[in-house]
Amino acid sequence: FAQETDQKLTKKLEALVQNFQGDVGIYVRHLKTGKVVQINADTVFPTASMIKVPITIGVFQKIEQGELNYHSTLVYRDSLGYMGEEDILLSFKDSSSIALSKILMLMITTSDNTASLWCQHLAGTGTAINAWLEANGFQYTRVNSRTPGREDARNQYGWGQTTPREMAELLVQVRQGKVINQRVSERIYRNLVRIYWDSEALSQ
């Protein structure tokens, strides 16, 4: 459907980035008015840690299929470690136990790369995550790291790739309950806004 450009905000944002020495991509959509700002919105960029949103979705897809349990306890192994980082999981001793829910929490709230690689593995590797993205209309957002056939893309973009429009719209789908289903979307949303303790008053 046609989207109306917010000319005033576009000019403000263009002024802010005009002297930036690098590549800039911006996509804004006001959820109530539908107005948008699009500055290189469909240009592919490295995701850096934003790839942890699709990885999260990949894990919850496995949970919804009954292959994983959100509250299950898993065993950490040193072989899972992402060396050179200050990840919390790296401080765990080999054979330590940790709940899957906490691994997912660490991936988002502390950007723990060891947790992220573990979750990517649990999701069925990047291939399974990318299949979900493609099936749900995301043409450019992909996991590249440790994903067969995506070596060239990894060399260019790193762990993952996306466009401003696609990453924003993926988050919109989470907020609107359209990722997997309403219940799963709500859980993912709560994780993304750092609400972990469901039984405490502050979670409300």
Side-chain angles (χ1 to χ4, degrees), residues 132 136 138 169-179 185:
W132 185 92
N136 286 274
F138 295 93
E169 292 297 343
L170 181 59
L171 293 170
V172 169
Q173 287 194 18
V174 170
R175 189 67 184 98
Q176 293 180 339
K178 297 177 180 178
V179 169
S185 292

Side-chain angles (χ1 to χ4, degrees), residues 24-97:
V24 175
I26 298 173
Y27 175 75
V28 180
R29 175 158 71 91
H30 194 289
L31 297 184
K32 291 184 178 179
T33 67
K35 289 187 176 182
V36 298
V37 174
Q38 304 173 83
I39 302 171
N40 295 326
D42 297 311
T43 300
V44 178
F45 289 90
T47 57
S49 284
M50 286 188 296
I51 198 59
K52 292 164 187 177
V53 177
I55 291 173
T56 295
I57 293 170
V59 173
F60 274 95
Q61 184 180 30
K62 291 291 187 180
I63 292 171
E64 190 65 11
Q65 292 170 346
E67 298 178 40
L68 294 172
N69 186 320
Y70 183 66
H71 299 290
S72 64
T73 299
L74 303 180
V75 177
Y76 172 76
R77 296 294 185 185
D78 287 340
S79 60
L80 294 165
Y82 191 78
M83 297 302 139
E85 299 289 325
E86 296 182 358
D87 294 339
I88 290 175
L89 272 181
L90 282 179
S91 66
F92 278 41
K93 293 182 179 180
D94 189 84
S95 300
S96 298
S97 297

